[in-house]
Amino acid sequence: MVRRLQPGLNAPPFSYLNLPHRESMDLLFQRVKNDDYSAFEKIFKNNYRALCSYSNQLVISPQLAEEIVDDVFFNLWRNRKKIHITSSFQSYLIISIRNRSLDCLRKLKGEKQYLLEHAESVQCKQSIAYEVMVYEELCHHIDTAVNDLPEQCRLVFQLSRDQGLPYKEIARVLNISIKTVDTQIGRALKYIRKIIAAREV
């Protein structure tokens, strides 16, 4: 069952430092379609808290939000061979959570009409599309920033972000010290934050 996984506890909604960028998410989903359960676990852990927070905005119930997100991930794995995505996998997840949250509230319509009215006022499809567009634009700026990093710094950051390797393994692969790995990750994040801050001015 999906709930046996241990999602990260510190992933705020749609944080660019905790969610994989668009290309990584799409690649991970392709691995999921090829029955790679480790890729599914990575998607789950990196997105679970953010998606629960989003669903909770709609249903106003943390417990129900978790059940909804669990259900979406359960069906994602069960139907992995049948799912065809025309946009990005990130937008697919967001829209799936919204639709499932609203469906859940409609089933409770007679009992909690006010919840449905609240949820439908949270975000319309246009604002969801806009949020996804902003997210993907942000991903582009992050990718550009990563490509501008010095070679060793870029390799260290990509091994950590894209491959999910621990510092010790990165140090072994690149034949450098763990302290150097930590320093390079710090430099990469500082530069990315600088680029994002400049974009938001």
Side-chain angles (χ1 to χ4, degrees):
M1 291 295 293
V2 172
R3 284 294 287 121
R4 70 181 178 80
L5 302 178
Q6 296 298 317
L9 297 178
N10 59 347
F14 313 118
S15 166
Y16 71 88
L17 290 182
N18 286 300
L19 293 183
H21 62 81
R22 179 185 61 191
E23 290 78 7
S24 291
M25 287 283 284
D26 291 342
L27 289 174
L28 283 171
F29 180 62
Q30 287 305 312
R31 287 168 53 189
V32 169
K33 295 190 74 168
N34 291 324
D35 303 326
D36 186 339
Y37 191 74
S38 66
F40 173 77
E41 286 184 315
K42 189 171 184 179
I43 291 173
F44 180 89
K45 291 177 180 178
N46 285 335
N47 291 277
Y48 185 82
R49 289 300 175 191
L51 293 175
C52 282
S53 176
Y54 174 57
S55 179
N56 186 47
Q57 292 180 48
L58 301 171
V59 300
I60 320 179
S61 168
Q63 182 177 358
L64 181 56
E66 288 191 2
E67 292 176 3
I68 288 168
V69 175
D70 289 344
D71 192 43
V72 167
F73 274 104
F74 175 78
N75 283 290
L76 172 66
W77 178 254
R78 184 179 61 181
N79 300 317
R80 60 191 180 280
K81 298 290 189 180
K82 302 176 184 178
I83 296 175
H84 298 287
I85 298 175
T86 56
S87 56
S88 69
F89 180 65
Q90 183 70 34
S91 64
Y92 170 84
L93 274 182
I94 295 171
I95 293 171
S96 293
I97 294 299
R98 175 178 173 79
N99 290 342
R100 190 63 59 88
S101 297
L102 294 181
D103 285 344
C104 183
L105 288 180
R106 289 188 181 100
K107 292 178 181 178
L108 303 173
K109 185 174 181 180
E111 180 181 352
K112 298 181 179 180
Q113 174 66 26
Y114 74 97
L115 283 178
L116 180 57
E117 292 172 352
H118 162 79
E120 289 180 334
S121 69
V122 170
Q123 285 182 314
C124 63
K125 289 185 178 179
Q126 288 82 0
S127 62
I128 284 285
Y130 175 75
E131 185 172 85
V132 171
M133 180 184 70
V134 171
Y135 174 82
E136 293 186 347
E137 181 184 356
L138 180 61
C139 289
H140 172 72
H141 284 280
I142 293 171
D143 291 339
T144 299
V146 171
N147 289 333
D148 288 341
L149 293 171
E151 183 178 4
Q152 186 184 66
C153 188
R154 184 180 71 253
L155 286 174
V156 169
F157 185 74
Q158 288 176 331
L159 286 173
S160 174
R161 180 188 65 169
D162 299 340
Q163 304 299 322
L165 297 183
Y167 284 15
K168 184 177 181 180
E169 183 64 14
I170 295 173
R172 186 190 67 79
V173 170
L174 298 180
N175 195 27
I176 56 179
S177 69
I178 295 177
K179 180 176 177 57
T180 298
V181 173
D182 183 63
T183 299
Q184 297 291 4
I185 291 290
R187 287 176 180 172
L189 292 176
K190 182 178 180 181
Y191 181 70
I192 290 172
R193 293 190 185 104
K194 178 181 176 182
I195 294 299
I196 298 304
R199 169 182 172 272
E200 294 175 347
V201 171

